[in-house]
Amino acid sequence: MDKYGLIGYPLEHSFSISYFNQKFVDEGIDAVYENFEIPTIDMLSEVIDSNPDLKGFNITIPYKQKVMPFLDFISPEARAIGAVNVVKVERTAGKIVLTGYNSDVIGFTKSIEPMLNNHSKALILGTGGASAAIDYGLKSLGLETVFVSRYQRPNTIQYENITPDVVREYNVIVNCTPCGMYPHVDECPKLPYEAMDEQTILYDLIYNPDTTLFMQKGAEHGATTKNGLEMLLLQAFASWDFWNGKGAH
């Protein structure tokens, strides 16, 4: 039986394990998806050696960057983003070859593209791991981007400097921070929501709750909003395609 899995630490909130095991049952695929919770990335080779049927795995926090030196090949997108979240495992003639991809950028671009209509500038809230993939995706769709941070960092704007004029100019806003995620549902990024209108798109990578306060406050002023669930599903589809050769480099 083929095996797939998720590598990260800790792994108590895993969307992938329930999604893929349900997919295998529904589609009659003889495979299983397991969580591999490892306290250090150095244990990766142990996981691969002790699971000879492992055909591929997803990578989550905190190993999306740390896994890269362990890989034989990395796709151009994943290299440009600086993070890998899908690894294909191939065993040929006693040799193990690991290829890394990034499915976040595919999931995000496919999800936001239908919402865009003459939008040319975007704010990316947060500078963590996910924001690099979001930046790559927005630029690939032709948008100019600016990162927003609470701290003074090069090439970023701070929340206190986001004026109503900035929101009107950068009218695509993507939240890549955990602000507003369950159980902190009464929190939202500090923005001049009153400057938003029908031209504003608010995209939240969070999917629990379904409608974050960030989305709700924008919608009150006419903004179009979307949460991260579709992106999650699309990046899971992309993982499967990478593992099974479709769309691989």
Side-chain angles (χ1 to χ4, degrees), residues 4-5 9 19 36-37 56 60 66 87 120-121 128 165 205 241 245:
Y4 300 90
Y9 189 85
Y19 168 79
F36 299 102
E37 194 171 53
T60 189
K66 292 176 184 168
V87 175
S120 61
K121 295 184 177 184
D165 284 346
L205 265 54
D241 287 346

Side-chain angles (χ1 to χ4, degrees), residues 109-182:
T109 49
K110 282 188 175 174
S111 177
I112 198 168
E113 192 170 19
M115 303 171 74
L116 300 172
N117 177 23
N118 300 322
H119 293 84
S120 61
K121 295 184 177 184
L123 294 177
I124 300 170
L125 310 183
T127 53
S131 59
I134 299 310
D135 181 50
Y136 186 94
L138 288 167
K139 283 179 175 161
S140 75
L141 295 171
L143 278 77
E144 192 182 307
T145 60
V146 172
F147 288 102
V148 182
S149 175
R150 286 175 293 169
Y151 311 105
Q152 291 287 342
R153 287 203 173 108
N155 307 316
T156 63
I157 181 173
Q158 280 59 56
Y159 284 94
E160 61 265 29
N161 297 328
I162 297 179
T163 61
D165 284 346
V166 171
V167 164
R168 282 187 278 268
E169 187 181 352
Y170 291 81
N171 53 6
V172 176
I173 305 176
V174 184
N175 180 32
C176 301
T177 78
C179 183
M181 194 194 298
Y182 180 84

Side-chain angles (χ1 to χ4, degrees), residues 47-227:
V47 169
I48 292 166
D49 293 343
S50 55
N51 292 278
D53 299 325
L54 190 66
K55 297 284 190 285
F57 52 90
N58 293 111
I59 300 269
T60 189
I61 294 165
Y63 302 136
K64 287 187 183 187
Q65 283 92 13
K66 292 176 184 168
V67 75
M68 294 174 83
F70 292 82
L71 306 176
D72 300 290
F73 300 102
I74 297 171
S75 76
E77 292 96 332
R79 195 172 287 290
I81 292 160
V84 162
N85 72 333
V86 183
V87 175
K88 181 175 184 175
V89 181
E90 292 170 288
R91 299 165 196 268
T92 45
K95 190 173 185 304
I96 297 171
V97 176
L98 303 179
T99 306
Y101 303 94
N102 190 300
S103 65
D104 283 337
V105 67
I106 299 166
F108 173 70
T109 49
K110 282 188 175 174
S111 177
I112 198 168
E113 192 170 19
M115 303 171 74
L116 300 172
N117 177 23
N118 300 322
H119 293 84
S120 61
K121 295 184 177 184
L123 294 177
I124 300 170
L125 310 183
T127 53
S131 59
I134 299 310
D135 181 50
Y136 186 94
L138 288 167
K139 283 179 175 161
S140 75
L141 295 171
L143 278 77
E144 192 182 307
T145 60
V146 172
F147 288 102
V148 182
S149 175
R150 286 175 293 169
Y151 311 105
Q152 291 287 342
R153 287 203 173 108
N155 307 316
T156 63
I157 181 173
Q158 280 59 56
Y159 284 94
E160 61 265 29
N161 297 328
I162 297 179
T163 61
D165 284 346
V166 171
V167 164
R168 282 187 278 268
E169 187 181 352
Y170 291 81
N171 53 6
V172 176
I173 305 176
V174 184
N175 180 32
C176 301
T177 78
C179 183
M181 194 194 298
Y182 180 84
H184 304 287
V185 295
D186 55 348
E187 294 175 6
C188 66
K190 291 179 173 58
L191 298 169
Y193 291 91
E194 68 282 357
M196 297 176 184
D197 58 24
E198 289 75 15
Q199 281 301 300
T200 312
I201 292 173
L202 296 189
Y203 192 111
D204 204 327
L205 265 54
I206 294 168
Y207 54 91
N208 181 14
D210 289 339
T211 305
T212 57
L213 190 56
F214 165 72
M215 293 164 64
Q216 194 180 314
K217 288 179 79 156
E220 284 167 10
H221 297 281
T224 306
T225 66
K226 191 170 214 171
N227 70 17

